[in-house]
Amino acid sequence: MGAGTSPADGSHAPGGAEDAGPAAGGPEETAVTGTARAADGTAESGEGGGSTRAPSRRFSLTHDTARPEGGGRAAPGDAPAPARQWPLLTVLCTAGAGLLLVGTDPFAEAFRIGAMLIGVALLVGAVLRWVVPSVGMLAVRSRFTDLVTYGLMGSLIVLLALMAQPKPWLYVPILQDIVHFTIR
């Protein structure tokens, strides 16, 4: 494999650089990738005009997968780094405020309100991922997967914070019946 090639991108010819001599096939075109091998073992474009890839047989639910760099900038490139990542900083600061409330416990309901802030931060992340076209490093997976993950986790954290004991703010009668049914 030559410098800058990867087995994952399909841009290299089969075998290693050590079998690139004239006895091993040398600079003739390979049938798999459509590239010619130079004498030093690097891949060059052949007469065929590049490689042809077979379509994937895997089922794909989404097609808008986030770029590995983080989904693009949320602000122009000449802006300072914090301004380019404002969606991520919004979510992290809100979750950090919730963790600070839970950790310091300054008043009676600090645990419940802090946990709700953490859940709201995730819900805000889901809304930002849905509405803002380029969210920077908040984009981890595909848009659909990020929406489902952030939304579901945020909703569950808020619901658990509302139902936390003692004196829950949200009472769901069926949960008590389920607990009694499973413990008996």
Side-chain angles (χ1 to χ4, degrees):
M1 218 177 328
T5 59
S6 168
D9 65 4
S11 64
H12 71 285
E18 61 274 339
D19 66 348
E28 61 190 36
E29 186 170 315
T30 62
V32 175
T33 61
T35 59
R37 307 258 315 175
D40 65 350
T42 60
E44 297 176 343
S45 339
E47 302 170 42
S51 65
T52 56
R53 298 179 95 159
S56 175
R57 294 177 58 192
R58 292 188 337 189
F59 173 73
S60 177
L61 183 62
T62 61
H63 297 286
D64 60 339
T65 305
R67 295 182 352 207
E69 295 87 31
R73 294 184 174 125
D78 58 346
R84 290 192 309 257
Q85 297 298 331
W86 69 266
L88 179 66
L89 289 175
T90 302
V91 172
L92 287 178
C93 287
T94 308
L99 286 172
L100 189 65
L101 273 176
V102 170
T104 58
D105 200 22
F107 51 91
E109 295 294 327
F111 168 75
R112 187 182 317 271
I113 293 174
M116 286 175 47
L117 266 176
I118 295 169
V120 166
L122 288 172
L123 290 173
V124 166
V127 169
L128 286 173
R129 186 68 172 105
W130 185 27
V131 174
V132 179
S134 181
V135 292
M137 290 185 353
L138 188 62
V140 178
R141 297 159 294 269
S142 69
R143 184 171 301 218
F144 175 77
T145 306
D146 282 344
L147 283 173
V148 169
T149 305
Y150 294 150
L152 188 65
M153 294 302 289
S155 301
L156 287 175
I157 290 172
V158 168
L159 285 175
L160 287 173
L162 290 173
M163 293 186 292
Q165 297 290 334
K167 301 177 187 171
W169 291 0
L170 177 67
Y171 178 72
V172 182
I174 194 168
L175 290 179
Q176 188 173 7
D177 296 337
I178 290 173
V179 169
H180 285 145
F181 177 73
T182 57
I183 292 178
R184 287 184 189 180

